Amino acid sequence: MSHAGPCQWSRAPGRLADGSTAAVDAEIRAPKLPGPQGRVDSWLPMFSVRHYLDDYVSVLWQLDERAVERTAHVLLGAWRMNRAVFCCGNGGSAATACHVAADLTKLTQPPGGRHLRAVSLTESMSAISAIANDIAYEEIFAEQLRAQLVPGDVLLALSTSGSSPNVIRAVEYANTAGGITVGVTGRHGLELKLISQHCLVVESTSVQQVEDATMVVGHLLCLRTKELIARDGQEALSDLSLPSPCLRVADAAR
């Protein structure tokens, strides 16, 4: 393939085919406004990588550590009671729901202990398409919960807007069925925040940054819950090793 000119991009990042980096560096430092003729060399990128990253770091620093801690203890309670954690969301949040469910199942198991059971409601296309076609798209998560959720189960509901009808319906059902509901949403997610028993708010109005931070929240919950479960198991073993003729009822029930 022939090149149109000396300013074609090469595979080396930040370097042109002629070997220079000056044009790239200048574009990053001082993008220009469009010229009167709309020339390509005066094009202004509307997106700044540096600004996005700076904003995102600021968003992460605003995450509520106490809310993460409370939610991790909710997940610990589910593990103690051998209850399940259900995850749901749409679009990017649907993929995050799968990721978080997999991590909660895999990463939190103590050595020689049982797993925390976590299920993503976004994985079965057969169930989702059947419910959407036969009932309503707003019911794709709630209907699955009707078949699976028992009192004490946890629903982790992810929604950048906080107003996705199918996520809202799932939370409403879980609340009425004795479930424990946890919402993760963006700054404007008032509806989800109001109906969830627990809520973690990402202080951003950017869909992409809320999605990014939601995945970070998922990892924080997995790692903190893993630590709590491991500590809980160690305390139980310590109690069992005490020279006592009987176990306390609370310990035996674990």
Side-chain angles (χ1 to χ4, degrees):
M1 181 182 296
S2 62
H3 296 301
C7 289
Q8 298 296 317
W9 290 100
S10 70
R11 291 186 179 180
R15 187 176 296 277
L16 300 180
D18 63 2
S20 69
T21 61
V24 178
D25 294 339
E27 193 72 32
I28 293 173
R29 287 196 307 269
K32 303 174 184 177
L33 290 171
Q37 305 302 321
R39 296 191 307 273
V40 174
D41 61 355
S42 61
W43 172 69
L44 171 65
M46 299 302 293
F47 172 76
S48 166
V49 172
R50 177 51 54 195
H51 290 168
Y52 185 95
L53 294 176
D54 287 344
D55 289 345
Y56 180 52
V57 170
S58 175
V59 167
L60 292 182
W61 277 115
Q62 294 178 71
L63 289 176
D64 188 344
E65 185 177 353
R66 291 170 300 177
V68 173
E69 184 71 11
R70 287 193 296 268
T71 304
H73 277 84
V74 168
L75 299 177
L76 171 65
W79 177 81
R80 283 175 171 172
M81 297 171 61
N82 198 25
R83 293 295 189 263
V85 178
F86 296 97
C87 306
C88 69
N90 294 285
S93 297
T96 301
C98 293
H99 189 151
V100 172
D103 281 356
L104 284 173
T105 300
K106 176 178 178 291
L107 295 179
T108 61
Q109 182 191 20
R114 55 184 170 78
H115 291 81
L116 172 63
R117 294 186 295 121
V119 178
S120 172
L121 300 176
T122 65
E123 290 189 321
S124 175
M125 284 307 302
S126 296
I128 290 171
S129 59
I131 296 167
N133 184 69
D134 299 344
I135 304 175
Y137 193 79
E138 290 79 3
E139 298 294 326
I140 60 173
F141 302 136
E143 188 67 14
Q144 293 184 71
L145 291 177
R146 291 186 183 100
Q148 301 182 64
L149 184 139
V150 299
D153 283 347
V154 177
L155 173 63
L156 184 59
L158 315 178
S159 174
T160 58
S161 68
S163 58
S164 300
N166 49 21
V167 173
I168 297 301
R169 286 290 300 118
V171 173
E172 290 174 340
Y173 173 76
N175 283 336
T176 62
I180 302 172
T181 53
V182 179
V184 182
T185 188
R187 180 181 296 164
H188 291 167
L190 182 61
E191 187 172 3
L192 182 58
K193 183 178 180 180
L194 288 175
I195 67 171
S196 299
Q197 297 168 30
H198 307 271
C199 193
L200 293 94
V201 177
V202 177
E203 292 295 339
S204 176
T205 58
S206 164
V207 171
Q208 291 74 30
Q209 290 186 358
V210 174
E211 289 180 339
D212 293 341
T214 298
M215 191 64 255
V216 172
V217 167
H219 282 148
L220 292 173
L221 290 175
C222 288
L223 294 172
R224 181 58 178 145
T225 302
K226 175 183 179 180
E227 185 175 64
L228 292 173
I229 289 175
R231 181 186 301 173
D232 197 69
Q234 288 298 318
E235 291 176 354
L237 289 174
S238 176
D239 289 340
L240 287 172
S241 66
L242 291 175
S244 173
C246 62
L247 295 175
R248 292 178 300 177
V249 174
D251 294 327
R254 291 180 181 176

